[in-house]
Amino acid sequence: MSGHHGDDDTGHRKRGSVSELLERVVEQTREIARAEAELVRAEAAHRASLLRNAVVLAAIALVFAFGAIFPLTQSAVLGLQWAGIAEGPATLIVGAVLLICGIILALVAASLLRKVSSPPDRIKENLSADARTLKESLK
């Protein structure tokens, strides 16, 4: 038995085990990087699909809204006049209601866009877990 630390029973240094360990760490790092890249690609495709769907639905909604807004506005004003409210205040009431609806829709749209533009939590969590695993494997 040799008195040197790191020697095997034959007196030879254990260089193969260190290089094998480094090789395994490098291979594991490559596998993790490949898996993370695939996850990022899938997440980007999902977000692009959400964005595309949101834009298509918004465009369709806009067409319907433009087609309906004028007759509905006129009908609402006439309805309020029929209920005894003068034309000026009736027009103001209808305009205020439309403005409130527009603000609500704009806030919903902004919320959807924030979801699309924020980085996914899942990727951040996976990267943190991968970093912890690599640190533990190097100990």
Side-chain angles (χ1 to χ4, degrees), residues 42-118:
E43 190 68 36
H46 175 68
R47 287 176 173 275
S49 174
L50 287 176
L51 182 60
R52 184 192 70 237
N53 291 345
V55 168
V56 168
L57 289 175
I60 292 169
L62 195 58
V63 168
F64 285 135
F66 278 142
I69 195 70
F70 298 115
L72 289 174
T73 301
Q74 184 180 17
S75 296
V77 171
L78 291 173
L80 290 174
Q81 285 177 328
W82 180 78
I85 299 175
E87 183 179 354
T91 304
L92 184 61
I93 291 169
V94 171
V97 169
L98 290 174
L99 178 62
I100 290 168
C101 290
I103 290 170
I104 291 170
L105 289 174
L107 291 173
V108 169
S111 173
L112 289 174
L113 287 175
R114 274 193 295 276
K115 285 181 184 178
V116 171
S117 64
S118 66

Side-chain angles (χ1 to χ4, degrees), residues 5-84:
H5 182 69
D7 289 355
D8 63 13
D9 290 339
T10 63
H12 292 86
R13 304 287 281 170
K14 294 182 180 179
R15 292 185 181 160
S17 63
V18 172
S19 65
E20 288 171 3
L21 176 64
L22 287 175
E23 189 176 315
R24 281 196 318 243
V25 168
V26 168
E27 185 57 35
Q28 288 175 351
T29 304
R30 284 184 187 141
E31 289 175 21
I32 289 171
R34 278 188 224 115
E36 290 299 331
E38 185 60 35
L39 180 61
V40 168
R41 273 189 235 109
E43 190 68 36
H46 175 68
R47 287 176 173 275
S49 174
L50 287 176
L51 182 60
R52 184 192 70 237
N53 291 345
V55 168
V56 168
L57 289 175
I60 292 169
L62 195 58
V63 168
F64 285 135
F66 278 142
I69 195 70
F70 298 115
L72 289 174
T73 301
Q74 184 180 17
S75 296
V77 171
L78 291 173
L80 290 174
Q81 285 177 328
W82 180 78

